Amino acid sequence: MLGNIKFIGELGKLDLIHESILHKCIKTLLEKKKRVQLKDMGEDLECLCQIMRTVGPRLDHEKAKSLMDQYFARMKSLMTHKELPARIRFLLQDTLELRENNWVPRKAFIDNGPKTIIQIRQEAVKDLGVFIPANMSQGMRTDFFLDGPFMAPRMKLDRETLGGLADMFGQMPGSGIGTGPGVIQDRFSPTMGRHRSNQLFNGHGGHIVPAPQSQFEMGGKSFMKSNQGQNQHYHAQNQGHPSQQQAQSKDMQPRFIKKGQLNADEISLRPAQSFLINKNQVPKLQPQIPTMIPPSAQPPRTQTPPLGQPPQLGLKTNPPPIQEKPAKNSKKPTPAKEELLKMTETIVTEYLNSKILNDAVNGVREMKAPKHFLPEMLSKIIICSLDRSDDDKEHASTLIHSLRHEGLISGDNFMQAFLNVLDQCPKLEVDIPLVKSYLAQFAARAIIAELVNIAELAQPLETGTHFPLFLLCLQQTAKLRDREWLTDLFQQSKVNMQKMLPEIDQNKDRMLEILDGKGLGFLFPLLKLEKELLKQIKADPSPQAIYKWIKDNISPKLHTDKGFVNILMTSFLQYISHEMCLTEGDEQLDTPSKEQLDQEKQLLLVFKPVMQKFLHDHVDLQVSALYALQVHCSNSSFPKGMLLRYFVHFYDMEIIEEEAFLAWKEDISQEFPGKGKALFQVNQWLTWLETAEEEESDDDAE
């Protein structure tokens, strides 16, 4: 959960999520769930602190100050509860202090990027106590520290004893790479056989070199000659002592024994990297093959010097020229937000004046606006056309739809832009009083163009937010298209219209009244039928009049709708109860008289043609009629014998078929109340019906 909250916070920081969604997340995290103790809210509060630290600076502005004050007051009160873990309380305290400090953290983050050479030298002196001279002479030898005042005269080692990894890393003899068993040792380590026979490391004095020169040899040539002379001297010395080499090879591990004598090409004269401080002064050397790489891993040597010619060590005669990569052309920086807004305004103004759609689309494409700017760009397009004619507003909508068709924007971008303009409505209404009606036109055209759907438009407008904007959008859609198309689209969206009204108006009667006032009553024909059908039956209960009224007022598409059948049966049952003078709580409901039972049967016979007209050969609709009867009996607290009487009448009058009764019995839907009590009253009759059907099927088989 914490990872999801971090992701939401980062999206909010980039303005990819609207502020209202972020506020909903914060409210959800702050609310105390039912049956959840305070000590178990630690995870929610940790997520709350995380999202506050991420998007708090964005949400903490004048418009939302009251909400933010409420959030932090709640957090402050929670911080004092000892039931919460100490870590959570400290997180809350840190978040409170962060807001008090204007969202500036106590410790700024340290830049961990690249460092300059000067910074590295300063850190080496401070942390490691190692001083690296700032300016090194050109061609400096790698034995700077060995011949200088850093070592005692008796410890000044012959440069010949150094080589290999020591040349590369500037190490003292006897130091390897790493410690412990199995580490990589260089060839001159005291643990290797060579130095075990060396007098310097066995306490026999060693080979003392002459006194160092008074100054460093300058220039690349002198540097190379010096190193060549030393290495040739070392090579000759090793050739003169074969017994010493054999003793060394016995003490060495098998994997370190070199097969054959050292090749001159394997001797690296590359100076230690620690001395190449001033790279502009030291000549560039071509790296040789390190001596520690086994022969199997070395590249093949294709060129060998002719006989009688000494090998060239360290440098190649004709090194290939180094080709530097051309500097990449840096991309043009993205224009600032103000520039993008000015460019958008210019494009829209020219388009609305010229009505050339392709030029406007190409202009937006050439802007190359970043994704997070697209909602603001669309907001600017809408706002620029609000104070213009209806024809210009339609052209602005066409431009938005064309941008979607070209893949430059998305439906989410449009919804964010729509909500951004809604947030600016209080300011815009000063100059444009009908701004919500104009916005409804944009939304209606977006629905028709399938840029957004009704459900996406309804989601941020629930509980009467910006009421009656949602109803205005439906009005404009009905004007631009036809009512039947909008009715089908609205039913597919499965939007709960009651939730789109203010809380005080969220009931069926008030909703139908508001919809009729806005000319949207056609969206709920069944709701209107439920209110008007009972009045019509009371006015004229003849089946001919009832059928004619239904045919004139109800669309034929609804004649096979389960909701229509439910309302039709409910209206008939309510009329029968009214004519029998039976009301809820009346004792006669449990013990009706014989005259009342006869009247009940006669009224059912009157309505039989209408019920058979809409239920015949539709088992699913017959099941809906049985559920309507179940709800009617449930509302009357299941009077004794009522449900069974109606079941028998429906069966005898052939209004409901046997298959429908058994389907109702097997159905486990919990949508309608009282199924358990209903089954208890009619279970014995249903068992008889099932048995009788089986006997009839057996007779037919014989």
Side-chain angles (χ1 to χ4, degrees), residues 141-143 147 157-162 167 209 213 217 222-237 267 269 313:
R141 298 200 314 270
T142 59
D143 54 358
D147 294 342
L157 307 177
D158 188 357
R159 190 66 185 93
E160 297 171 5
T161 61
L162 298 178
D167 282 334
V209 299
Q213 297 180 2
E217 295 179 0
S222 61
F223 174 76
M224 290 305 303
K225 289 179 180 179
S226 173
N227 279 296
Q228 286 181 4
Q230 292 174 2
N231 280 277
Q232 289 174 1
H233 174 69
Y234 167 76
H235 186 62
Q237 183 180 7
I267 301 175
L269 300 180
L313 303 180

Side-chain angles (χ1 to χ4, degrees), residues 320-381:
I322 300 176
Q323 297 180 356
E324 296 184 358
K325 294 182 180 180
K328 294 183 180 180
N329 295 329
S330 58
K331 295 182 180 180
K332 294 182 179 180
T334 305
K337 178 180 176 181
E338 292 75 11
E339 296 180 10
L340 292 172
L341 289 174
K342 289 181 181 178
M343 294 168 65
T344 303
E345 185 175 1
T346 302
I347 292 172
V348 175
T349 303
E350 292 178 356
Y351 165 65
L352 295 180
N353 292 332
S354 65
K355 304 296 189 296
I356 302 177
L357 181 62
N358 290 334
D359 291 348
V361 173
N362 292 331
V364 173
R365 183 183 288 109
E366 293 173 358
M367 281 174 56
K368 297 181 179 180
K371 290 184 179 180
H372 63 83
F373 176 75
L374 296 179
E376 296 193 37
M377 179 188 72
L378 296 178
S379 302
K380 193 68 176 178
I381 294 175

Side-chain angles (χ1 to χ4, degrees), residues 132-146:
I132 302 176
N135 296 319
M136 303 293 284
S137 300
Q138 183 178 5
M140 177 172 289
R141 298 200 314 270
T142 59
D143 54 358
F144 170 74
F145 289 107
L146 299 177

